[in-house]
Amino acid sequence: SDAVSICTDTSSSSGETTETGMDDMKLDFSPKEPQHFWKQLQSCEEFVGTKRSKHTMVAWDDRVYVFGGDNGKKMLNDFLVSHVRDSSWARVVYTGQPPAPRYHHSAVVFNNSMFIFGGYTGDINSNSNLRNKNDLHEYCFTTSQWVDWSDKIKG
C-alpha cells in the first residue's frame, strides 16, 4: 500500500481507555497524487546572447519574465519574456524608461505589476565604479509601461 496510517492512542497511563475524539488519519501517497517534472524550455540564446547571471526572473499569468543581470562583460537592462505554453521567447515591448542596467537587484510581482528594487549599476570590471542603488521601478503588465518610483518615495 502507498499509504501511512496514524492511529490515535485510546489508552491512558493507568490502563483506562480514553476517547480522544479523533479518528485514525491516513496520508495517501497513491498514484492519484499529481507528479511534478522538470521540463527544459526552448533556448533563449537568440535573444539573450551569452549566458547571464545575477538577473531576476518572475512569473505572471502564463509567462516568465527575465530582467537585467550581467553577461560577464557588462550589466544588462534587457527585458525578456518566455511564453510558457508554447515555449517561445521574445523581447518585451514597453513604453517608459526601464531601470538602468544592473545586477544583484530584486524583483517581485504584486497585483498586475513587477517591481524592481536596488542592485548595482556601473562597470562590472571596476569595483570603484559600482554604485549600490536604492531605487524602485514598476513595470505594469497590463499597460506595458515602466514607471520610476524613485522620486515618489521619500524617507
Side-chain angles (χ1 to χ4, degrees):
S1 170
D2 291 330
V4 175
S5 293
I6 302 171
C7 300
T8 57
D9 183 8
T10 58
S11 62
S12 69
S13 59
S14 65
E16 296 176 19
T17 300
T18 60
E19 192 59 46
T20 61
M22 294 179 59
D23 296 324
D24 292 346
M25 297 185 303
K26 181 177 176 182
L27 299 175
D28 189 1
F29 296 105
S30 68
K32 296 175 194 171
E33 291 292 315
Q35 295 185 8
H36 302 281
F37 299 95
W38 283 101
K39 176 183 173 186
Q40 184 169 347
L41 299 177
Q42 175 183 350
S43 171
C44 59
E45 220 168 287
E46 174 184 347
F47 298 105
V48 177
T50 60
K51 295 176 173 76
R52 73 177 56 213
S53 63
K54 304 174 210 93
H55 55 280
T56 51
M57 177 181 255
V58 298
W60 183 79
D61 199 19
D62 63 348
R63 288 161 266 175
V64 176
Y65 292 82
V66 175
F67 178 80
D70 82 73
N71 63 8
K73 297 177 183 171
K74 64 179 184 175
M75 291 185 199
L76 307 168
N77 72 336
D78 53 351
F79 195 26
L80 309 169
V81 60
S82 173
H83 299 271
V84 176
R85 292 189 197 273
D86 66 4
S87 298
S88 65
W89 283 92
R91 292 192 182 279
V92 176
V93 177
Y94 53 82
T95 60
Q97 185 66 36
R102 65 190 56 218
Y103 65 17
H104 286 303
H105 54 285
S106 58
V108 66
V109 171
F110 179 73
N111 289 334
N112 291 319
S113 293
M114 173 183 69
F115 291 87
I116 300 286
F117 178 75
Y120 288 96
T121 62
D123 181 359
I124 66 172
N125 298 310
S126 171
N127 285 340
S128 63
N129 190 21
L130 289 178
R131 290 180 302 285
N132 191 355
K133 300 298 282 185
N134 195 29
D135 54 354
L136 180 67
H137 299 266
E138 175 187 7
Y139 175 77
C140 181
F141 295 111
T142 57
T143 63
S144 301
Q145 183 176 11
W146 281 106
V147 176
D148 183 352
W149 281 73
S150 302
D151 295 333
K152 299 174 185 174
I153 299 174
K154 304 292 181 209

